[in-house]
Amino acid sequence: MPANSLEQVRNLCMRRGFVFPGSAVYGGVASFWDYGPLGVELLNNIKKAWWQDTIYTRNDMEGLDAAVLMSRKVWQHSGHEATFSDPLVDCKACRSRFRADDLVGAWIGKVRQEDVRRADTWLRHFQAHERVCAAMPEPLRTAGVQIMQEIQAAHEIWWPLGRLFLKFKDAGDEAAARKMVDDEDARRANQRMKSAQEAHKQFIEQNATAFEFACFKAKEIECPKCGSKEFTEPRNFNLMFQSHVGPVAADKGTDEEKAARVYLRPETAQGIFMNFAHVQRAMARKIPFGVAQIGKAFRNEITPGNFIFRTREFEQMEIEFFIKPPQFVKEGEKNDQQWHEEWVEQRFNWWLRYATSPSATLEDRDATAARFRARAQTPDELAHYAKATTDIEYLFPGSLGWGEIEGVANRTDFDLTAHSNDIPEEDLKRLKLEPNKDSTVKLDYFDPDAKARYIPWVIEPSAGATRAMLTFLCEAYHDEVVTEPTKQQIDQIKSDAAMIRKNAEKKIKEAQKEIAAGREAKHDPAKVEAFLNVLDETVARLPASLTELLTALDHEGAQNLEPVKKFRPPTEKLVEDCTRTVLRLHPALAPVKLAVFPLKKNKPELVELAQAIKERFQRHFRVVYDDSAGIGRLYRRQDEIGTPFCITVDFESLEDGTVTVRERDSMEQERVKIDDLPSYLLPRLQGE
RNA sequence: GCGGGUGUAGCUCAGUGGUAGAGCAUCACGUUGCCAACGUGAUGGUCGUGGGUUCGAGUCCCAUCACCCGCUCCA
């Protein structure tokens, strides 16, 4: 069984040097992770497997590595800048989309259109603003509420005077009005009102974004279409990280600033489109052909999380495969839809191949295959550039569930057309594009076969390299029982579990009493009961369920139960003694391919030979030498990081030149001549 | 963004206002003939951070940061 929680994988990653939290010395920065010694090996191996399988073993592919920073114009014409630069809200009732700042601006101005001479209008207005301020985060909340209370207090004093003043003025009684203006109390009240209003205005201006957000949170805004007050939160879709080329002193938004602005790519694809003509000419390629690229991409995600699944800096493995537009496809040639299907199949099989270890049984393979699926996106999920997209998804453990690991999109001729000058009117209409006055070229292609010039269509298989790492880790992770606990040990667990139940049932009764008396209870009876059921069920299935015991103890309802705390350490010890953690990684992906041990570390001749074997292989792949523990522990350590083979040098080795080769998944050992090691290991490391 | 939880040694955690602990890991020496061996000793913590209450705070209060879970969201 693969990992049953992301937590297990996360722990292993941090403990064994796959992944570390970024900027940890300063408390960390959410969503950024560093890849440690084993992580960089695994990630490199994944990228290598992808590069070899998509470029070397095909006849229609080329590689590329474009710059991360690209001209702002790339992202203007690709549609990325315009589509995702404003704070947007969706009405949950009628699904209309609005700019959040427009709605809030209209709402603030609304009172001016109403009868400004009515006291209750103003009061309602101030109270509404106070509710909005109350929905703001601290310290804005306190400051805002204070300002709104002051304005209400000032209004209460000022309003009767103001109304009197207006009354005189309306009646044409200038003398009385003037007398009021000169009156000391009235002036003071007026002054207080004015400064309160000023403070209010400034507060909103200075905290525009937070205020905007709070308006929706406080449910003060109405949908202009349907009147509902239920909106999604304002999302500022400015997903791209910005920087500037050269020193820029200008303020944001000025022409000077914009001219120097560059974006960190949110996808590697545009770098390929920029180089379509270069690659085609330089390599004398005919359509169909593809360009592959591996590289970092950056998205300022609104909600990052789930370990390395969604991060703001990540790595993509992308292919843009250029094909004939439908109107030029001849009888017997693949059209865009068929190319799309073929790539989905190709890529799906790639995932399955590397998700399984060669030692996997048919049942294992079926179980693995069941955790992958290809799912066609529904029309409302499709990105602005795509005609169709099929997501390849993996069933991650725990709450993450099905997650996208690759998208295979049919981008039509959208991108190459968008980056071309002189776009014909019908294409502008068809692709909903604006004319491109910035581009210097037309990204078309003369097809000698069709004897026509056209802009190719594109199929884009785009996989996440960092997500691939998480996928393969989750799939490879196994806690295995290797030594059955004794009957005595099982009986001990059973009696401990019975004791836990007895104690917990007492706690449930106590809690029920507290709840009946209207007091807060220390335990939630339902949760404790649920925990007891899980525990009993797990204990009943011993010894097969041994590794599940610890998961059961992590149950919500197990918290604050004393006997559970006592039960945990010996149980942990027992589970650890009886199980091994093994990463059944495909050998091509394993960060360390081979480990060499001397059977005894205090025999120099064994150490010497073991180190010599290590040195013999270290030019070809990652191999480690270790003698810092007993042989059993050394094997376990390597299992945990997925090392496919371990070699042990013993006294027999000195005599007949053979060593013990121990295979990771089966733990079986074989005697192999040192000279035969290359021919023994090589095919096995390639997964044959 | 909201709600709940967690934060103590490299890791897993105990510590219920009164001298900071255990197991594992690491290092040294010895022992050890193949699946998480053992003995002896050593290293290692301003208890996430910043305030406050107190004679005294890992423990109580407030704030803040990070992570986890659940919603919400997601090119």
Side-chain angles (χ1 to χ4, degrees):
Chain A
M1 205 174 79
N4 51 39
S5 77
L6 261 193
E7 201 51 34
Q8 291 176 316
V9 177
R10 224 180 103 90
N11 275 341
L12 179 70
C13 281
M14 299 213 218
R15 203 173 63 242
R16 296 305 308 269
F18 285 88
V19 179
F20 303 122
S23 309
V25 164
Y26 292 101
V29 185
S31 160
F32 293 93
W33 300 89
D34 299 337
Y35 292 83
L38 298 185
V40 66
E41 296 289 345
L42 175 55
L43 196 51
N44 278 342
N45 291 340
I46 290 168
K47 290 188 281 190
K48 200 165 134 198
W50 183 88
W51 192 262
Q52 287 181 337
D53 291 351
T54 53
I55 298 181
Y56 296 0
T57 61
R58 293 181 63 105
N59 302 316
D60 53 5
M61 292 291 300
E62 300 289 350
L64 179 76
D65 188 2
V68 169
L69 292 169
M70 281 190 270
S71 165
R72 177 172 173 234
K73 292 194 169 101
V74 173
W75 307 108
Q76 286 177 309
H77 292 291
S78 72
H80 288 80
E81 190 186 69
T83 320
F84 300 105
S85 55
D86 297 313
L88 303 174
V89 287
D90 291 341
C91 170
K92 283 183 176 171
C94 68
R95 296 192 153 262
S96 314
R97 176 167 287 186
F98 305 94
R99 277 182 58 160
D101 47 350
D102 283 352
L103 292 187
V104 171
W107 178 74
I108 291 173
K110 200 172 142 200
V111 69
R112 301 200 168 87
Q113 290 146 27
E114 290 179 14
D115 187 357
V116 295
R117 296 194 170 189
R118 290 173 50 135
D120 57 349
T121 304
W122 286 103
L123 202 60
R124 261 208 334 265
H125 174 66
F126 295 144
Q127 283 168 345
H129 275 242
E130 193 186 330
R131 286 196 297 273
V132 170
C133 290
M136 292 171 90
E138 293 291 3
L140 294 179
R141 179 195 155 96
T142 308
V145 168
Q146 216 163 41
I147 286 167
M148 292 322 300
Q149 282 171 351
E150 160 61 15
I151 207 169
Q152 284 175 60
H155 178 258
E156 203 175 319
I157 299 168
W158 176 81
W159 179 253
L161 298 168
R163 191 171 51 178
L164 206 61
F165 174 76
L166 288 171
K167 202 169 151 192
F168 287 141
K169 215 155 184 210
D170 286 351
D173 191 346
E174 287 292 337
R178 177 166 295 276
K179 196 178 165 205
M180 275 207 65
V181 171
D182 290 341
D183 180 74
E184 190 57 31
D185 286 347
R187 275 171 70 142
R188 206 176 296 135
N190 192 2
Q191 200 53 48
R192 185 175 171 188
M193 189 65 205
K194 271 186 184 160
S195 61
Q197 279 176 328
E198 188 55 34
H200 175 211
K201 200 175 138 199
Q202 270 188 20
F203 180 77
I204 292 180
E205 274 171 12
Q206 281 165 10
N207 305 295
T209 311
F211 190 83
E212 226 167 76
F213 213 88
C215 283
F216 290 96
K217 202 177 149 194
K219 299 201 195 305
E220 294 298 333
I221 310 281
E222 275 183 14
C223 173
K225 271 197 184 159
C226 71
S228 162
K229 287 182 176 177
E230 296 294 327
F231 289 93
T232 58
E233 284 168 352
R235 288 152 299 163
N236 195 346
F237 273 141
N238 197 351
L239 247 65
M240 289 189 289
F241 285 96
Q242 290 183 13
S243 190
H244 297 92
V245 174
V248 177
D251 287 338
K252 196 165 176 188
T254 59
D255 288 345
E256 191 192 337
E257 184 270 330
K258 282 182 182 164
R261 195 190 292 174
V262 287
Y263 293 111
L264 277 71
R265 61 185 179 197
E267 61 173 20
T268 59
Q270 298 301 326
I272 299 180
F273 296 130
M274 290 299 103
N275 288 284
F276 161 70
H278 294 153
V279 174
Q280 187 269 321
R281 267 199 304 274
M283 308 311 286
R285 279 290 184 182
K286 284 181 189 155
I287 278 182
F289 77 98
V291 179
Q293 174 168 227
I294 297 177
K296 292 239 169 147
F298 304 82
R299 297 178 190 181
N300 206 351
E301 295 282 359
I302 302 157
T303 327
N306 283 321
F307 193 35
I308 55 171
F309 181 76
R310 178 173 288 112
T311 52
R312 295 187 169 119
E313 175 178 343
F314 60 104
E315 197 153 25
Q316 290 186 309
M317 306 186 289
E318 286 199 307
I319 299 165
E320 302 301 333
F321 195 78
F322 301 102
I323 55 172
K324 277 185 181 177
Q327 63 270 33
F328 294 100
V329 175
K330 287 187 197 157
E331 188 73 22
E333 288 180 336
K334 287 191 199 94
N335 63 21
D336 60 309
Q337 203 180 326
Q338 286 163 320
W339 273 116
H340 186 237
E341 283 164 12
E342 181 180 312
W343 272 109
V344 170
E345 195 192 326
Q346 285 268 325
R347 296 299 309 140
F348 194 83
N349 290 338
W350 183 89
W351 284 100
L352 287 189
R353 178 153 77 255
Y354 288 101
T356 26
S357 164
S359 70
T361 62
L362 271 179
E363 282 102 338
D364 290 341
R365 280 166 204 279
D366 285 347
T368 296
R371 283 184 286 272
F372 287 86
R373 72 178 182 195
R375 190 184 63 87
Q377 282 192 5
T378 57
D380 61 307
E381 283 179 284
L382 287 176
H384 63 279
Y385 49 72
K387 176 184 165 189
T389 298
T390 301
D391 285 342
I392 297 175
E393 298 180 325
Y394 175 70
L395 184 58
F396 287 96
S399 61
L400 183 47
W402 288 104
E404 179 190 342
I405 51 180
E406 175 157 2
V408 184
N410 181 346
R411 289 177 85 132
T412 72
D413 56 336
F414 178 90
D415 299 274
L416 289 181
T417 305
H419 291 304
S420 293
N421 58 13
D422 295 334
I423 309 171
E425 198 58 42
E426 73 247 39
D427 289 342
L428 290 179
K429 247 190 199 164
R430 177 172 58 91
L431 299 168
K432 297 193 183 96
L433 288 168
E434 295 291 318
N436 188 337
K437 295 202 175 69
D438 298 315
S439 173
T440 57
V441 293
K442 186 163 189 185
L443 292 171
D444 60 2
Y445 165 82
F446 179 76
D447 189 328
D449 173 48
K451 293 192 175 51
R453 191 164 274 282
Y454 57 74
I455 291 183
W457 279 37
V458 166
I459 303 296
E460 180 200 76
S462 167
T466 31
R467 283 183 181 185
M469 178 164 152
L470 187 61
T471 302
F472 293 134
L473 280 171
C474 288
E475 188 57 31
Y477 186 101
H478 289 78
D479 279 325
E480 279 180 6
V481 179
V482 282
T483 320
E484 294 255 312
T486 62
K487 187 170 179 304
Q488 201 184 354
Q489 286 167 323
I490 292 178
D491 288 344
Q492 181 64 46
I493 293 175
K494 282 182 178 164
S495 81
D496 284 344
M499 200 181 74
I500 289 173
R501 172 167 275 281
K502 204 170 149 195
N503 175 280
E505 279 171 350
K506 211 161 77 190
K507 297 284 179 198
I508 290 175
K509 273 186 195 150
E510 281 172 22
Q512 282 166 341
K513 258 187 216 163
E514 292 291 313
I515 291 167
R519 285 191 297 266
E520 207 173 312
K522 196 179 168 191
H523 299 277
D524 181 336
K527 281 178 185 165
V528 176
E529 189 60 50
F531 158 66
L532 290 177
N533 290 338
V534 170
L535 184 66
D536 284 350
E537 193 274 332
T538 310
V539 169
R541 282 189 296 112
L542 283 174
S545 59
L546 190 65
T547 57
E548 295 165 52
L549 264 183
L550 299 181
T551 319
L553 293 184
D554 285 335
H555 194 281
E556 252 190 314
Q559 280 169 9
N560 295 321
L561 291 174
E562 282 305 317
V564 172
K565 282 183 188 172
K566 274 186 204 149
F567 181 57
R568 184 187 287 271
T571 309
E572 271 174 2
K573 178 90 173 63
L574 179 68
V575 170
E576 260 175 46
D577 287 350
C578 294
T579 61
R580 66 163 184 163
T581 298
V582 53
L583 289 187
R584 291 196 194 161
L585 287 168
H586 188 287
L589 302 185
V592 177
K593 308 295 187 197
L594 183 66
V596 191
F597 317 132
L599 190 57
K600 295 173 73 154
K601 70 172 165 186
N602 52 2
K603 297 289 179 217
E605 55 273 38
L606 293 187
V607 168
E608 225 170 84
L609 181 55
Q611 280 171 340
I613 293 173
K614 188 248 174 188
E615 277 159 25
R616 184 163 169 183
F617 288 104
Q618 67 189 5
R619 294 177 60 84
H620 304 289
F621 45 74
R622 187 83 176 140
V623 40
V624 299
Y625 166 86
D626 196 355
D627 64 9
S628 63
I631 196 74
R633 176 165 307 218
L634 294 179
Y635 285 147
R636 291 289 192 271
R637 270 187 203 158
Q638 296 304 322
D639 287 343
E640 208 179 29
I641 60 168
T643 306
F645 295 100
C646 294
I647 286 175
T648 303
V649 174
D650 56 20
F651 292 109
E652 224 178 304
S653 310
L654 300 173
E655 286 162 21
D656 65 1
T658 62
V659 289
T660 305
V661 179
R662 181 259 197 189
E663 198 271 331
R664 178 193 68 201
D665 297 342
S666 62
M667 296 193 285
E668 271 165 17
Q669 301 184 347
E670 205 173 329
R671 213 61 204 180
V672 178
K673 278 209 165 107
I674 295 173
D675 290 339
D676 292 344
L677 282 173
S679 61
Y680 180 90
L681 291 173
L682 200 69
R684 288 174 170 82
L685 286 177
Q686 284 167 349
E688 288 166 15

